[in-house]
Amino acid sequence: MLRLGVNIDHVATVRQARKGHHPDPVTAAALAIIGGADGITVHLREDRRHIQERDVRLVRQTITARLNLEMAAVDAMTRFALEVKPDEATLVPEKREELTTEGGLDLLAHEKSVTEIAHRLIDAGILVSLFIDPNPRQVEAAHRIKAHAIELQTGSYSEAKSRQERKDRLIELEEAALLAHQMGLKVHAGHGLDYNNVQPVAAIPHVEELNIGHSIVSRAILVGFEQAVSQMRFAMDQGRSGEKWERFI
Ligand code: PXP
């Protein structure tokens, strides 16, 4: 079973362009579920550039599907997560000047602080996932931290400039997924996945969840949210069943 977590941040990006009420990411969350999403992912950034606290609270109250809160591993966000109680918290690195999350969390550099934050969440019954690069040393650190899951950073794969580079990045993802699975970690993946590149990632054994935002919201503007989600669901399911992706890789 491969779950699709739809990241609705960029619905909020369009709303924040005018600081008004529309489009409402809470409505998008409901439509994503109708379109076949298994869960909703939101990133409440410290600068509140898209998702607002109100969005997270309302999604939590109105959606019964899995809620995954992406958050920086800092005290203020942890207190918010403990109050809202998402099903899952994904710890991500955060820099104010970045356009989007760039690269995974460096667990080797921040093992002590990430462990402390992760365990506050785990003790409250929240599943903790760590967004990391597909690197064996990062996977081993996630295991030491006793996280529930890792989310493999697929941005480097998505942005690969050649077929060979894409193949190399895919192999790193496959190897990291296998190692994590052998260590008892659940495996998720995300960042930069779209309708063309998702299939090889969906085919990686042991990957249980993909978190996808920008490509779905971009298509939703043109074809509607339900359609955009169900088309992604279709592409993922094709990838998982091994159909029609060799041409991409
Ligand atoms: N996973 C993580 C940890 C992220 O930070 C993001 C971006 O917020 C995504 C998945 C979704 O990435 P994209 O919007 O490129 O699909």
Side-chain angles (χ1 to χ4, degrees):
M1 158 75 184
L2 181 61
R3 293 190 300 272
L4 170 59
V6 174
N7 180 316
I8 55 172
D9 292 353
H10 295 302
V11 178
T13 302
V14 177
R15 177 190 61 192
Q16 295 311 107
R18 292 290 161 92
K19 303 236 181 314
H21 300 287
H22 303 290
D24 193 332
V26 182
T27 310
L31 293 171
I33 299 299
I34 293 170
D38 302 289
I40 298 298
T41 295
V42 285
H43 184 176
L44 181 66
R45 294 185 69 103
E46 291 182 274
D47 63 11
R48 304 292 192 269
R49 71 170 73 152
H50 39 51
I51 291 291
Q52 306 296 307
E53 292 185 22
R54 164 263 186 211
D55 304 328
V56 188
R57 290 184 210 282
L58 283 179
V59 171
R60 170 82 289 190
Q61 287 165 25
T62 53
I63 302 293
T64 52
R66 192 175 170 106
L67 173 63
N68 173 24
L69 175 65
E70 289 178 6
M71 53 177 269
V74 298
D75 179 62
M77 282 307 311
T78 306
R79 281 189 275 119
F80 177 75
L82 293 175
E83 185 202 325
V84 176
K85 291 245 171 84
D87 300 285
E88 180 173 25
T90 301
L91 302 184
V92 299
E94 212 175 281
K95 287 193 233 113
R96 275 172 198 270
E97 64 278 15
E98 69 192 355
L99 269 181
T100 178
T101 314
E102 291 168 357
L105 198 53
D106 185 353
L107 299 180
L108 301 173
H110 305 289
E111 190 160 341
K112 193 161 170 276
S113 57
V114 172
T115 303
E116 191 254 324
I117 297 284
H119 283 270
R120 282 168 65 190
L121 297 163
I122 292 167
D123 290 347
I126 299 168
L127 299 174
V128 169
S129 176
L130 303 174
F131 182 61
I132 57 170
D133 291 343
N135 168 322
R137 297 185 63 207
Q138 298 293 341
V139 176
E140 286 159 8
H143 178 248
R144 282 196 299 278
I145 292 171
K146 297 193 170 63
H148 167 76
I150 53 164
E151 178 168 330
L152 292 172
Q153 182 267 108
T154 53
S156 312
Y157 158 82
S158 304
E159 286 157 25
K161 297 283 179 283
S162 67
R163 195 172 264 255
Q164 187 57 48
E165 193 188 342
R166 199 147 52 219
K167 264 190 190 156
D168 293 345
R169 298 289 86 79
L170 187 65
I171 290 168
E172 286 171 0
L173 290 166
E174 287 167 347
E175 290 177 351
L178 179 61
L179 178 65
H181 173 74
Q182 287 168 342
M183 294 183 143
L185 290 156
K186 301 285 182 195
V187 186
H188 308 165
H191 209 269
L193 295 177
D194 63 27
Y195 296 83
N196 292 315
N197 68 20
V198 74
Q199 293 173 335
V201 177
I204 299 175
H206 313 305
V207 171
E208 290 186 16
E209 177 179 306
L210 300 180
N211 286 301
I212 309 179
H214 190 267
S215 61
I216 293 178
V217 174
S218 305
R219 186 168 288 199
I221 289 172
L222 305 176
V223 305
F225 225 88
E226 276 180 65
Q227 275 273 9
V229 172
S230 77
Q231 289 173 10
M232 183 57 80
R233 181 84 262 167
F234 181 74
M236 282 168 54
D237 292 344
Q238 258 191 339
R240 179 94 334 175
S241 67
E243 272 177 68
K244 285 194 185 164
W245 59 264
E246 293 81 359
R247 68 189 152 77
F248 181 73
I249 261 314

